Amino acid sequence: MVTRADIGVIGGSGFYSLLDDAEELQLATPYGLPSDVVTIGRIGSRSVAFIPRHGRDHRFPPHRIPYRANLWALRSLGVRQVLAPSAVGSLKAEYGPGALVVPDQLVDRTSGRVQTYYDTDGAVHVSFADPYCPSGRAAAVKRAQEGGWQTVDGGTLVVIEGPRFSTRAESQWYAANGWSIVGMTGFPEAILARELALCYTSISLVTDHDAGVEAGQGVTHDEVLEFFARNVTRMRTLVSETVQSLPEERTCSCGSALDGLKLPFELP
Ligand SMILES: [Zn+2]
């Protein structure tokens, strides 16, 4: 394969125009097709592959996204660092719409999603104590602060199964545990990245308060999309700047996640 990329971005629409000399690739993987064609181009000196998580026409709901195919496709292009912008609900009154959270922990409340590549020919137990890349997180936090975002360095992302939103009681329970934000796509994306020894960084834009945090009817999907659309230009800038701030050589431990483990197949 001639076309390569160092950095992967899995996100919503609106990122294509960011890439110079963009080229589209239809990639097949052992796990089926990715969410859409992969767009490859450059941001500054960095080569970037972009996949719209839900497909360009938003045809995949969170529980149907081909997470394994997406991460596999990125790795097969040479990607070793992944940025994952997404929209989230806030569990804390002080983080309102427009806050930018770079979580350092995750709680999985999904059910029934395939969450591993290693489901045949023996068990592969990968450490997931710290699910996010420290280098990627530092780059995203620094750029968000410089960009004037209300930036939250750390916190816990609760990933729910969806596609429904939380009940008020669920939301209050998450908040009572001290968790920060709620989303539907951060898992299994994060663990699949780790299982491929990729760096993975969540860049979470708060679009609303979750149901239990404030009185009222809770959020609607239209409100989330409308808020995200209003902020997509700023998010593009933030992701673009973070891409250019990622280290050329990885010094984090993400790349050695599989050291000493016996894998049933070779990674791409
Ligand atoms: Zn890393």
Side-chain angles (χ1 to χ4, degrees):
M1 184 176 294
V2 186
T3 306
R4 307 280 295 175
D6 301 322
I7 295 165
V9 176
I10 306 175
S13 52
F15 285 87
Y16 314 101
S17 58
L18 204 66
L19 300 172
D20 297 328
D21 303 323
E23 170 187 355
E24 293 184 351
L25 280 186
Q26 180 68 259
L27 292 179
T29 80
Y31 306 94
L33 297 174
S35 297
D36 213 318
V37 293
V38 184
T39 309
I40 299 181
R42 304 193 72 81
I43 298 177
S45 63
R46 314 305 294 273
S47 54
V48 177
F50 175 79
I51 296 180
R53 185 183 283 116
H54 297 276
R56 287 185 184 192
D57 52 1
H58 215 95
R59 66 186 173 280
F60 293 110
H63 60 294
R64 292 286 183 197
I65 290 167
Y67 294 101
R68 290 199 295 184
N70 288 347
L71 273 307
W72 190 273
L74 290 177
R75 177 152 178 133
S76 70
L77 290 167
V79 165
R80 294 297 179 266
Q81 302 180 79
V82 176
L83 299 180
S86 70
V88 296
S90 171
L91 293 166
K92 292 184 182 289
E94 63 268 34
Y95 308 161
L100 200 287
V101 183
V102 184
D104 62 353
Q105 277 299 321
L106 179 156
V107 170
D108 169 27
R109 293 283 302 159
T110 67
S111 57
R113 299 185 187 184
V114 179
Q115 55 173 280
T116 183
Y117 289 101
Y118 308 114
D119 52 2
T120 56
D121 300 320
V124 175
H125 300 290
V126 173
S127 171
F128 199 47
D130 295 298
Y132 300 111
C133 173
S135 305
R137 289 193 61 259
V141 166
K142 183 162 181 290
R143 290 304 202 157
Q145 287 168 337
E146 289 170 357
W149 293 86
Q150 181 195 352
T151 309
V152 183
D153 180 0
T156 299
L157 166 65
V158 185
V159 186
I160 61 174
E161 176 63 16
R164 68 171 179 85
F165 290 111
S166 311
T167 67
R168 214 175 293 280
E170 287 167 340
S171 182
Q172 286 164 352
W173 177 50
Y174 303 150
N177 280 304
W179 303 335
S180 313
I181 47 176
V182 178
M184 296 181 190
T185 59
F187 192 88
E189 211 168 77
I191 184 56
L192 293 171
R194 179 62 54 82
E195 282 198 345
L196 297 181
L198 302 174
C199 296
Y200 181 89
T201 304
S202 167
I203 301 177
S204 296
L205 172 63
V206 172
T207 56
D208 56 275
H209 280 110
D210 210 43
V213 178
E214 285 185 329
Q217 293 308 305
V219 68
T220 67
H221 188 55
D222 282 350
E223 287 167 354
V224 170
L225 290 182
E226 202 228 354
F227 185 85
F228 207 78
R230 282 207 308 272
N231 284 272
V232 74
T233 306
R234 278 187 87 200
M235 279 296 277
R236 274 206 304 251
T237 302
L238 174 61
V239 169
S240 165
E241 291 177 347
T242 304
V243 160
Q244 296 174 82
S245 295
L246 290 174
E248 304 259 359
E249 296 288 333
R250 293 198 289 173
T251 54
C252 51
S253 60
C254 310
S256 47
L258 302 169
D259 288 5
L261 298 173
K262 185 170 174 294
L263 303 184
F265 46 76
E266 273 194 38
L267 298 184

